[in-house]
Amino acid sequence: HRKRLSSRFGRWNSNDRLVGGYRLSGVIVIAFAVAGAILGTVFGILQSTDMLNTSDVLPDSYTSVIYDADDNEVDKLHGEENREYVKLSAITTNMQNAVIAIEDQRFYEHNGIDIRGIMRAMAENIKTMSFSQGASTLTQQVLKNEVLDNEKSISRKIKEQYLAVSLENALKKQLGSKDAAKKYILELYLNTIPLHHGLRGVEAASQYYFGKHASELTLAEAASIAGITKTPSLYAPDMNEEESRKRQLTVLQKMLDLGMITQAEHDEAAAEDIYAHLVCKETAEEESNAKHNWFVEAAVQQIKADLMEKKNMTAAQASNMIYSGGLQIHTTMDASMQETAEAAMKNDNM
């Protein structure tokens, strides 16, 4: 038999086993060296990552609201970010479930990073060679929105995942339970997500797109807002109705698949024409045609002067406080008299 092997495949040598063993050993050594280099890189990134306080993930820019003498809201002031922070209890369950369904369906199960999601994303990226799948959890997205930059790199992703686990553990200790920590993270997410036009969070978006509070959204409206996050400039309901509609239906189907809504609720929401009662186009046109009324402009200038004088703020600090500090500004304005006065000023016959 050994002779047959020799004639068909070449000369057989008893040292072949040793040669093969050396080759296998070499492969193992190289594998361990590569793994060691990777682990060393990861540990180096983690050591250079600053730890977070739970307060670090809080947004620092909020819209200020102006009220008249009767405590009616008459105007809002904001800088680049238009955000009105609301508690989770003031956001519909459908809105909460919609973002979980489309962004992080195992949100209440994982510890900050979704291992199953990461493995699925890796497989999909290798299959398509597109590397478009990221598997970011809601916790990771909060960190990306409020703490980290938008750099696309392995280093930033490792930091993000490490901080996500650390944040969830810290909140669990601080709030007393995993459930409480998860609800707080969901609240942060719903108040920080970018939803186009400078809108940050679902309350500002609800008022901008549909003229209502986040507590009043229908299932169809909630699904539409949840769908914006993937590509805001494409999926915002006032930007591309066809694409927005497709994305909304994807969110609704995902909610149905996960048992968050019934078939009847899905069908009713899918049939609702949310685009027929969008208020954002009217709002945008009004804002482009007119600035704040004269009373509000004067009030802003007076508040700015007071902050500089009484709080020793610079002009820039005072402006930042007014437009990003989430102030509730109560004025002496009589809305009816102000409207009459402004109408009279515009009347050329007077």
Side-chain angles (χ1 to χ4, degrees):
H1 178 67
R2 189 172 296 178
K3 290 181 180 179
R4 287 201 300 271
L5 284 175
S6 178
S7 62
R8 291 180 60 189
F9 301 108
R11 192 170 183 177
W12 185 86
N13 191 313
S14 61
N15 290 326
D16 284 350
R17 291 181 182 178
L18 292 175
V19 173
Y22 287 139
R23 288 174 180 170
L24 179 60
S25 299
V27 170
I28 293 173
V29 169
I30 292 172
F32 273 106
V34 171
I38 293 173
L39 288 174
T41 301
V42 170
F43 284 128
I45 293 171
L46 297 184
Q47 287 180 341
S48 65
T49 301
D50 294 329
M51 292 302 295
L52 289 176
N53 294 315
T54 54
S55 59
D56 292 334
V57 293
L58 287 171
D60 56 9
S61 178
Y62 303 91
T63 297
S64 294
V65 182
I66 297 180
Y67 301 89
D68 65 13
D70 296 320
D71 284 339
N72 297 311
E73 182 182 309
V74 295
D75 210 340
K76 293 179 180 179
L77 307 171
H78 62 81
E80 293 182 1
E81 295 185 356
N82 181 2
R83 176 189 289 109
E84 295 186 50
Y85 196 100
V86 291
K87 294 292 186 181
L88 191 62
S89 58
I91 301 172
T92 63
T93 301
N94 281 329
M95 184 73 255
Q96 299 176 37
N97 285 339
V99 297
I100 290 174
I102 201 63
E103 295 292 328
D104 187 2
Q105 67 183 66
R106 286 178 288 276
F107 172 67
Y108 281 106
E109 301 169 20
H110 62 65
N111 65 343
I113 58 174
D114 182 4
I115 301 298
R116 286 171 59 187
I118 292 172
M119 298 303 293
R120 178 197 56 78
M122 288 177 62
E124 185 64 23
N125 287 335
I126 293 172
K127 179 181 177 181
T128 62
M129 295 303 291
S130 64
F131 299 98
S132 59
Q133 300 292 319
S136 290
T137 64
L138 298 189
T139 313
Q140 290 175 250
Q141 291 184 54
V142 167
L143 290 165
K144 184 172 68 174
N145 290 337
E146 296 302 315
V147 179
L148 301 173
D149 54 40
N150 290 320
E151 174 194 1
K152 292 185 178 181
S153 67
I154 295 177
S155 173
R156 192 199 64 79
K157 198 67 177 179
I158 292 172
K159 288 181 180 181
E160 181 185 289
Q161 292 172 346
Y162 172 63
L163 290 175
V165 175
S166 299
L167 177 62
E168 291 217 3
N169 287 335
L171 285 173
K172 185 165 61 175
K173 292 179 182 179
Q174 182 176 320
L175 299 177
S177 69
K178 180 177 180 178
D179 184 64
K182 288 290 187 179
K183 287 180 178 178
Y184 182 64
I185 291 168
L186 180 58
E187 178 179 303
L188 286 174
Y189 176 82
L190 290 166
N191 280 285
T192 57
I193 48 174
L195 296 166
H196 205 44
H197 304 296
L199 301 166
R200 291 284 182 156
V202 298
E203 176 66 14
S206 300
Q207 295 191 35
Y208 181 85
Y209 292 118
F210 303 112
K212 59 176 67 173
H213 294 292
S215 60
E216 303 167 324
L217 290 170
T218 66
L219 171 58
E221 292 165 344
S224 175
I225 290 177
I228 296 173
T229 57
K230 183 178 181 182
T231 310
S233 60
L234 178 63
Y235 294 122
D238 62 328
M239 299 302 294
N240 187 322
E241 182 175 329
E242 181 180 356
E243 292 300 323
S244 171
R245 171 72 171 160
K246 289 179 183 177
R247 183 66 174 163
Q248 178 208 38
L249 293 177
T250 298
V251 175
L252 289 172
Q253 185 61 49
K254 192 70 173 177
M255 295 178 75
L256 177 62
D257 293 343
L258 293 173
M260 294 176 170
I261 56 175
T262 65
Q263 185 67 56
E265 290 172 327
H266 169 276
D267 295 346
E268 181 181 354
E272 183 180 335
D273 184 6
I274 64 171
Y275 305 96
H277 50 262
L278 285 177
V279 301
C280 50
K281 292 183 179 178
E282 299 174 7
T283 302
E285 183 177 353
E286 290 174 2
E287 289 181 350
S288 66
N289 292 334
K291 296 181 178 180
H292 307 292
N293 70 40
W294 295 329
F295 191 102
V296 171
E297 292 284 1
V300 168
Q301 293 305 314
Q302 183 60 60
I303 295 168
K304 182 176 180 180
D306 288 344
L307 289 172
M308 293 172 66
E309 178 184 351
K310 299 177 181 179
K311 299 295 183 180
N312 295 319
M313 290 186 178
T314 64
Q317 289 172 331
S319 292
N320 185 62
M321 175 63 72
I322 293 169
Y323 288 95
S324 301
L327 303 178
Q328 293 188 346
I329 302 170
H330 296 267
T331 71
T332 58
M333 185 178 78
D334 184 310
S336 178
M337 291 180 64
Q338 185 65 29
E339 185 178 345
T340 300
E342 294 200 17
M345 292 293 294
K346 294 176 182 178
N347 188 345
D348 294 335
N349 297 322
M350 294 185 65

